[in-house]
Amino acid sequence: MYRGFLLSLLVMLPFAAQADSVESMLQEMAIIEKNTALLGAALEDGQERASLCIHCHGEDGNSKRDYIPNLADQNASYLFTQFEHFADGTRKNYVMSKLAANLTKDERIAIALYFSRNEVKARPQPVASSEKGATVYNSVCFVCHGKEGKGSQQYPRIAGQPYDYLKATLMKFRNNDPERQNSPMMGVIRGMSEAQLSDVAAYVANMQ
Ligand code: HEC
Ligand code: HEC
Protein backbone atom coordinates (compact mmCIF):
# COMPACT_ATOMS: atom_id res chain seq x y z
CA MET A 1 0.00 0.00 0.00
CA TYR A 2 2.86 2.35 0.90
CA ARG A 3 4.74 1.79 -2.34
CA GLY A 4 1.72 2.32 -4.56
CA PHE A 5 0.83 5.47 -2.69
CA LEU A 6 4.37 6.78 -2.93
CA LEU A 7 4.55 6.07 -6.62
CA SER A 8 1.40 8.01 -7.36
CA LEU A 9 2.74 10.95 -5.37
CA LEU A 10 6.06 10.86 -7.18
CA VAL A 11 4.46 10.93 -10.60
CA MET A 12 3.07 14.34 -9.72
CA LEU A 13 6.38 15.76 -8.58
CA PRO A 14 8.56 17.82 -10.89
CA PHE A 15 11.79 16.16 -9.75
CA ALA A 16 10.44 12.65 -10.14
CA ALA A 17 12.32 12.20 -13.36
CA GLN A 18 15.68 12.85 -11.69
CA ALA A 19 18.00 10.00 -10.89
CA ASP A 20 18.05 8.65 -7.33
CA SER A 21 20.59 11.13 -6.02
CA VAL A 22 20.95 11.39 -2.25
CA GLU A 23 19.60 14.93 -2.53
CA SER A 24 16.42 13.88 -4.31
CA MET A 25 15.90 10.99 -1.89
CA LEU A 26 16.25 13.37 1.06
CA GLN A 27 13.71 15.66 -0.60
CA GLU A 28 11.40 12.70 -0.98
CA MET A 29 11.86 11.86 2.69
CA ALA A 30 11.03 15.46 3.67
CA ILE A 31 7.81 15.28 1.66
CA ILE A 32 6.81 12.01 3.33
CA GLU A 33 7.50 13.52 6.77
CA LYS A 34 5.05 16.34 6.10
CA ASN A 35 2.23 14.08 4.93
CA THR A 36 0.43 12.22 7.72
CA ALA A 37 -0.80 9.37 5.55
CA LEU A 38 2.53 8.79 3.82
CA LEU A 39 4.40 9.07 7.09
CA GLY A 40 2.10 6.55 8.78
CA ALA A 41 2.60 4.07 5.96
CA ALA A 42 6.37 4.60 5.94
CA LEU A 43 6.62 4.11 9.71
CA GLU A 44 4.66 0.87 9.44
CA ASP A 45 6.92 -0.33 6.66
CA GLY A 46 9.99 0.80 8.62
CA GLN A 47 8.91 -1.08 11.72
CA GLU A 48 8.49 -4.25 9.68
CA ARG A 49 11.93 -3.91 8.07
CA ALA A 50 13.50 -3.11 11.43
CA SER A 51 13.22 -6.78 12.32
CA LEU A 52 16.46 -7.19 10.32
CA CYS A 53 18.22 -4.76 12.61
CA ILE A 54 17.06 -5.37 16.16
CA HIS A 55 19.42 -8.26 16.83
CA CYS A 56 22.27 -5.75 16.78
CA HIS A 57 20.74 -2.30 17.21
CA GLY A 58 18.08 -3.31 19.78
CA GLU A 59 14.26 -3.51 19.63
CA ASP A 60 13.78 0.23 19.74
CA GLY A 61 17.09 1.30 18.22
CA ASN A 62 18.90 1.31 21.57
CA SER A 63 21.92 -0.90 20.95
CA LYS A 64 22.70 -3.57 23.50
CA ARG A 65 26.34 -3.94 22.42
CA ASP A 66 29.05 -1.47 23.18
CA TYR A 67 30.56 -1.43 19.70
CA ILE A 68 27.22 -0.88 17.95
CA PRO A 69 25.63 2.59 17.72
CA ASN A 70 22.11 3.47 18.81
CA LEU A 71 19.82 4.39 15.95
CA ALA A 72 17.08 5.74 18.23
CA ASP A 73 16.51 9.48 17.99
CA GLN A 74 19.23 9.76 15.36
CA ASN A 75 18.25 12.30 12.75
CA ALA A 76 16.62 10.62 9.77
CA SER A 77 18.70 12.28 7.08
CA TYR A 78 21.93 11.14 8.80
CA LEU A 79 20.61 7.56 9.02
CA PHE A 80 19.63 7.63 5.37
CA THR A 81 22.94 9.15 4.26
CA GLN A 82 24.90 6.48 6.13
CA PHE A 83 23.06 3.75 4.19
CA GLU A 84 24.24 5.47 1.02
CA HIS A 85 27.79 5.59 2.37
CA PHE A 86 27.74 1.89 3.29
CA ALA A 87 26.22 1.00 -0.08
CA ASP A 88 28.71 3.00 -2.16
CA GLY A 89 31.77 2.01 -0.10
CA THR A 90 32.57 5.44 1.40
CA ARG A 91 31.93 3.79 4.76
CA LYS A 92 32.73 0.14 5.37
CA ASN A 93 31.45 -2.48 7.75
CA TYR A 94 31.06 -6.11 6.72
CA VAL A 95 27.41 -6.54 7.74
CA MET A 96 26.19 -3.01 7.13
CA SER A 97 27.69 -2.75 3.67
CA LYS A 98 25.89 -5.90 2.55
CA LEU A 99 22.63 -4.95 4.21
CA ALA A 100 22.60 -1.42 2.82
CA ALA A 101 23.22 -2.63 -0.71
CA ASN A 102 20.25 -5.00 -0.41
CA LEU A 103 17.66 -2.51 0.84
CA THR A 104 15.63 -0.57 -1.72
CA LYS A 105 15.57 3.22 -1.56
CA ASP A 106 12.02 3.20 -0.19
CA GLU A 107 13.03 0.74 2.52
CA ARG A 108 16.01 2.90 3.49
CA ILE A 109 13.75 5.92 3.82
CA ALA A 110 11.14 4.02 5.82
CA ILE A 111 13.70 2.52 8.21
CA ALA A 112 15.43 5.86 8.75
CA LEU A 113 12.12 7.53 9.58
CA TYR A 114 11.16 4.70 11.90
CA PHE A 115 14.33 4.64 14.03
CA SER A 116 14.59 8.44 14.20
CA ARG A 117 11.32 8.43 16.11
CA ASN A 118 12.41 6.10 18.90
CA GLU A 119 13.73 7.47 22.15
CA VAL A 120 17.31 7.06 23.36
CA LYS A 121 17.49 5.34 26.75
CA ALA A 122 20.27 5.93 29.24
CA ARG A 123 22.67 2.99 29.35
CA PRO A 124 25.37 2.08 31.83
CA GLN A 125 28.68 3.45 30.50
CA PRO A 126 32.05 2.00 31.52
CA VAL A 127 33.56 5.45 32.15
CA ALA A 128 32.45 8.58 33.97
CA SER A 129 32.21 12.06 32.53
CA SER A 130 35.01 14.49 33.37
CA GLU A 131 35.80 18.21 33.34
CA LYS A 132 38.50 17.59 30.77
CA GLY A 133 35.99 15.96 28.42
CA ALA A 134 33.53 18.81 28.94
CA THR A 135 36.24 21.33 28.07
CA VAL A 136 37.01 19.65 24.75
CA TYR A 137 33.31 19.29 23.96
CA ASN A 138 32.43 22.86 24.77
CA SER A 139 35.34 24.33 22.86
CA VAL A 140 35.05 22.29 19.64
CA CYS A 141 32.23 19.78 19.24
CA PHE A 142 29.20 21.85 20.26
CA VAL A 143 29.61 24.01 17.16
CA CYS A 144 28.19 21.25 14.96
CA HIS A 145 26.69 18.64 17.27
CA GLY A 146 24.95 21.21 19.50
CA LYS A 147 25.30 22.01 23.22
CA GLU A 148 23.45 18.81 24.15
CA GLY A 149 24.95 16.57 21.48
CA LYS A 150 21.62 16.11 19.77
CA GLY A 151 22.79 17.20 16.33
CA SER A 152 20.48 18.60 13.67
CA GLN A 153 19.42 17.90 10.11
CA GLN A 154 23.06 18.18 9.01
CA TYR A 155 24.87 16.67 11.98
CA PRO A 156 24.41 13.38 13.78
CA ARG A 157 23.19 13.03 17.32
CA ILE A 158 26.10 11.68 19.39
CA ALA A 159 24.76 12.08 22.96
CA GLY A 160 24.35 8.77 24.77
CA GLN A 161 26.11 6.59 22.19
CA PRO A 162 28.06 3.72 23.76
CA TYR A 163 31.52 4.81 24.90
CA ASP A 164 33.33 2.02 23.01
CA TYR A 165 31.64 2.96 19.74
CA LEU A 166 32.47 6.66 20.22
CA LYS A 167 36.09 6.01 21.11
CA ALA A 168 36.65 3.57 18.25
CA THR A 169 34.94 5.91 15.77
CA LEU A 170 36.98 8.92 16.87
CA MET A 171 40.18 6.85 16.50
CA LYS A 172 39.10 5.90 12.97
CA PHE A 173 38.69 9.57 12.10
CA ARG A 174 42.05 10.38 13.65
CA ASN A 175 43.82 7.58 11.79
CA ASN A 176 42.21 8.39 8.43
CA ASP A 177 40.80 4.88 8.48
CA PRO A 178 39.40 3.86 5.06
CA GLU A 179 36.35 2.45 6.89
CA ARG A 180 35.17 6.07 7.23
CA GLN A 181 36.47 8.04 4.30
CA ASN A 182 35.94 11.70 3.45
CA SER A 183 34.53 12.69 6.80
CA PRO A 184 34.68 16.32 7.93
CA MET A 185 35.55 14.84 11.33
CA MET A 186 39.06 14.06 10.11
CA GLY A 187 39.95 17.74 9.85
CA VAL A 188 38.16 18.57 13.11
CA ILE A 189 40.14 16.24 15.36
CA ARG A 190 43.47 16.29 13.56
CA GLY A 191 46.05 17.09 16.21
CA MET A 192 43.98 15.92 19.20
CA SER A 193 45.67 13.39 21.47
CA GLU A 194 44.24 9.97 22.19
CA ALA A 195 43.73 11.04 25.81
CA GLN A 196 41.62 14.01 24.69
CA LEU A 197 39.55 11.73 22.48
CA SER A 198 38.97 9.31 25.38
CA ASP A 199 37.91 12.20 27.62
CA VAL A 200 35.50 13.66 25.10
CA ALA A 201 34.09 10.20 24.25
CA ALA A 202 33.35 9.65 27.96
CA TYR A 203 31.69 13.05 28.20
CA VAL A 204 29.51 12.45 25.12
CA ALA A 205 28.57 8.90 26.19
CA ASN A 206 27.21 10.24 29.47
CA MET A 207 25.21 13.10 27.89
CA GLN A 208 21.48 12.54 27.90
C1 HEC B 1 25.15 -8.06 12.77
C2 HEC B 1 24.92 -6.78 13.43
C3 HEC B 1 24.17 -5.68 12.69
C4 HEC B 1 22.93 -5.75 12.07
C5 HEC B 1 22.03 -6.95 11.89
C6 HEC B 1 22.64 -4.39 11.63
N1 HEC B 1 23.65 -3.54 11.98
FE1 HEC B 1 23.73 -1.54 11.59
N2 HEC B 1 25.60 -1.43 12.41
C7 HEC B 1 26.27 -2.53 12.97
C8 HEC B 1 27.60 -2.07 13.39
C9 HEC B 1 28.67 -2.92 14.05
C10 HEC B 1 27.68 -0.70 13.05
C11 HEC B 1 28.87 0.25 13.29
C12 HEC B 1 29.76 0.20 12.08
C13 HEC B 1 30.94 1.12 12.25
O1 HEC B 1 31.62 1.02 13.26
O2 HEC B 1 31.14 1.97 11.37
C14 HEC B 1 26.40 -0.34 12.45
C15 HEC B 1 26.09 0.94 12.00
C16 HEC B 1 24.87 1.32 11.49
C17 HEC B 1 24.50 2.67 11.11
C18 HEC B 1 25.36 3.91 11.25
C19 HEC B 1 24.96 4.58 12.55
C20 HEC B 1 25.85 5.71 12.97
O3 HEC B 1 25.66 6.18 14.09
O4 HEC B 1 26.72 6.13 12.22
C21 HEC B 1 23.22 2.62 10.66
C22 HEC B 1 22.40 3.77 10.14
C23 HEC B 1 22.78 1.25 10.77
N3 HEC B 1 23.80 0.47 11.28
C24 HEC B 1 21.51 0.81 10.44
C25 HEC B 1 21.13 -0.53 10.47
C26 HEC B 1 19.83 -0.99 10.02
C27 HEC B 1 18.71 -0.07 9.56
C28 HEC B 1 19.82 -2.35 10.12
C29 HEC B 1 18.72 -3.29 9.70
C30 HEC B 1 18.26 -3.16 8.32
C31 HEC B 1 21.11 -2.74 10.67
N4 HEC B 1 21.86 -1.61 10.86
C32 HEC B 1 21.47 -4.03 10.98
C33 HEC B 1 25.80 -3.80 13.12
C34 HEC B 1 24.61 -4.28 12.62
C1 HEC C 1 32.51 21.19 11.62
C2 HEC C 1 31.44 20.39 12.19
C3 HEC C 1 31.82 19.32 13.22
C4 HEC C 1 32.50 19.47 14.40
C5 HEC C 1 33.13 20.75 14.98
C6 HEC C 1 32.50 18.17 15.04
N1 HEC C 1 31.82 17.26 14.27
FE1 HEC C 1 31.55 15.31 14.66
N2 HEC C 1 30.64 15.04 12.87
C7 HEC C 1 30.38 16.02 11.95
C8 HEC C 1 29.72 15.46 10.80
C9 HEC C 1 29.26 16.21 9.55
C10 HEC C 1 29.60 14.09 11.06
C11 HEC C 1 28.92 13.05 10.18
C12 HEC C 1 29.72 12.71 8.99
C13 HEC C 1 30.47 11.44 9.15
O1 HEC C 1 29.89 10.40 9.39
O2 HEC C 1 31.67 11.49 9.04
C14 HEC C 1 30.19 13.85 12.37
C15 HEC C 1 30.27 12.62 12.97
C16 HEC C 1 30.72 12.41 14.25
C17 HEC C 1 30.72 11.13 14.93
C18 HEC C 1 30.22 9.83 14.35
C19 HEC C 1 28.77 9.65 14.70
C20 HEC C 1 28.27 8.27 14.47
O3 HEC C 1 27.13 8.01 14.87
O4 HEC C 1 28.99 7.44 13.91
C21 HEC C 1 31.23 11.32 16.17
C22 HEC C 1 31.42 10.28 17.25
C23 HEC C 1 31.56 12.72 16.28
N3 HEC C 1 31.25 13.36 15.10
C24 HEC C 1 32.09 13.30 17.41
C25 HEC C 1 32.56 14.60 17.47
C26 HEC C 1 33.32 15.15 18.58
C27 HEC C 1 33.64 14.40 19.86
C28 HEC C 1 33.64 16.43 18.24
C29 HEC C 1 34.51 17.40 19.01
C30 HEC C 1 35.87 16.94 19.28
C31 HEC C 1 33.05 16.70 16.93
N4 HEC C 1 32.41 15.57 16.49
C32 HEC C 1 33.12 17.90 16.26
C33 HEC C 1 30.69 17.37 12.09
C34 HEC C 1 31.40 17.93 13.14
Side-chain angles (χ1 to χ4, degrees):
M1 123 81 169
Y2 163 60
R3 264 174 223 109
F5 204 1
L6 193 59
L7 204 64
S8 57
L9 177 89
L10 280 179
V11 169
M12 303 181 307
L13 293 173
F15 58 83
Q18 280 178 19
D20 284 342
S21 69
V22 173
E23 275 309 304
S24 70
M25 297 305 290
L26 289 176
Q27 269 175 301
E28 185 181 324
M29 187 156 82
I31 289 166
I32 295 172
E33 276 192 284
K34 289 197 196 96
N35 179 305
T36 320
L38 285 178
L39 179 62
L43 292 177
E44 218 173 279
D45 204 28
Q47 182 166 22
E48 219 172 276
R49 305 285 156 199
S51 59
L52 295 167
C53 327
I54 58 181
H55 176 69
C56 295
H57 292 283
E59 290 289 323
D60 51 2
N62 280 281
S63 149
K64 293 194 184 79
R65 292 154 215 245
D66 293 336
Y67 65 97
I68 300 182
N70 297 328
L71 304 179
D73 208 18
Q74 185 54 273
N75 81 61
S77 55
Y78 175 76
L79 292 175
F80 181 80
T81 309
Q82 295 308 304
F83 290 143
E84 300 309 300
H85 289 173
F86 284 124
D88 72 14
T90 312
R91 183 169 174 182
K92 294 187 188 74
N93 170 266
Y94 185 74
V95 174
M96 287 310 306
S97 304
K98 287 207 160 137
L99 261 178
N102 284 320
L103 293 170
T104 66
K105 299 273 179 187
D106 285 348
E107 287 170 341
R108 293 181 205 174
I109 291 181
I111 293 176
L113 288 171
Y114 171 72
F115 280 117
S116 69
R117 279 163 172 74
N118 283 312
E119 215 178 298
V120 175
K121 293 189 184 129
R123 56 188 294 126
Q125 300 283 0
V127 282
S129 204
S130 70
E131 273 304 313
K132 282 194 219 153
T135 304
V136 176
Y137 192 86
N138 293 319
S139 44
V140 184
C141 321
F142 80 97
V143 177
C144 298
H145 295 283
K147 272 262 162 240
E148 297 177 337
K150 291 187 178 154
S152 63
Q153 277 300 101
Q154 283 100 34
Y155 301 110
R157 177 193 172 107
I158 50 178
Q161 287 290 14
Y163 171 80
D164 289 356
Y165 175 74
L166 289 169
K167 176 71 198 296
T169 300
L170 290 172
M171 290 308 287
K172 282 183 195 167
F173 290 138
R174 201 178 84 126
N175 298 335
N176 292 324
D177 192 313
E179 285 181 10
R180 280 198 91 153
Q181 293 167 38
N182 298 334
S183 174
M185 282 301 298
M186 288 173 171
V188 170
I189 60 174
R190 188 172 297 138
M192 284 193 187
S193 67
E194 185 172 350
Q196 281 176 311
L197 295 180
S198 301
D199 289 339
V200 78
Y203 179 76
V204 171
N206 287 292
M207 282 171 121
Q208 276 316 313

